[in-house]
Amino acid sequence: MTGRRGGRPLVPAYLSTGGVARPSHAHLERLSVLTGSGEQTPAELPAAQAALLEELEYGALTVQEAAALLRLPVSAVLVLAADLLDRDLVLARAPIPPARRFDPDLLKRVADGLRDLKHR
């Protein structure tokens, strides 16, 4: 996906997905973590999918990171990743949920308990 001078890709995103607009796996999202499965890459793989697999050779990427590297919209990379997932060429993991906020009251009680232990 080489770019033009203005930064726009030469190939429109809908062509990189073969005209498919929606991913076949609804559970994929922009923060899903993709890794290569280690399977042999088929020779007849479309260029955009081959480029995605090539990027995954260097390690795991989120869909959003892969989109930035390939200079494609996240929606297009979701379609590409879903197709590769169907072919068992990619593994996907749900994003890690954000940590819940700590309870300040609990921290205060722990600190008070530690102070009590120190003074005994």
Side-chain angles (χ1 to χ4, degrees):
M1 310 309 119
T2 49
R4 284 190 203 174
R5 219 159 156 211
R8 293 178 48 198
L10 291 173
V11 178
Y14 65 88
L15 289 179
S16 65
T17 63
V20 178
R22 297 192 194 283
S24 60
H25 292 271
H27 69 276
L28 281 176
E29 51 187 272
R30 64 185 181 88
L31 293 178
S32 294
V33 179
L34 304 174
T35 55
S37 67
E39 294 291 322
Q40 184 67 28
T41 304
E44 75 280 352
L45 207 58
Q49 289 180 349
L52 177 54
L53 281 177
E54 187 178 319
E55 291 297 337
L56 293 176
E57 287 178 5
Y58 301 106
L61 293 171
T62 63
V63 170
Q64 188 164 341
E65 291 170 326
L69 288 170
L70 297 174
R71 301 185 66 193
L72 287 171
V74 171
S75 58
V77 175
L78 284 169
V79 172
L80 296 173
D83 190 44
L84 291 171
L85 198 57
D86 290 339
R87 295 177 183 219
D88 295 325
L89 295 172
V90 162
L91 304 172
R93 179 175 54 79
I96 299 169
R100 292 193 309 196
R101 187 160 170 79
F102 63 88
D103 180 11
D105 185 51
L106 175 65
L107 289 179
K108 184 181 179 322
R109 288 184 291 161
V110 168
D112 291 343
L114 290 173
R115 271 190 227 101
D116 286 345
L117 286 174
K118 182 179 177 183
H119 295 294
R120 285 185 181 181

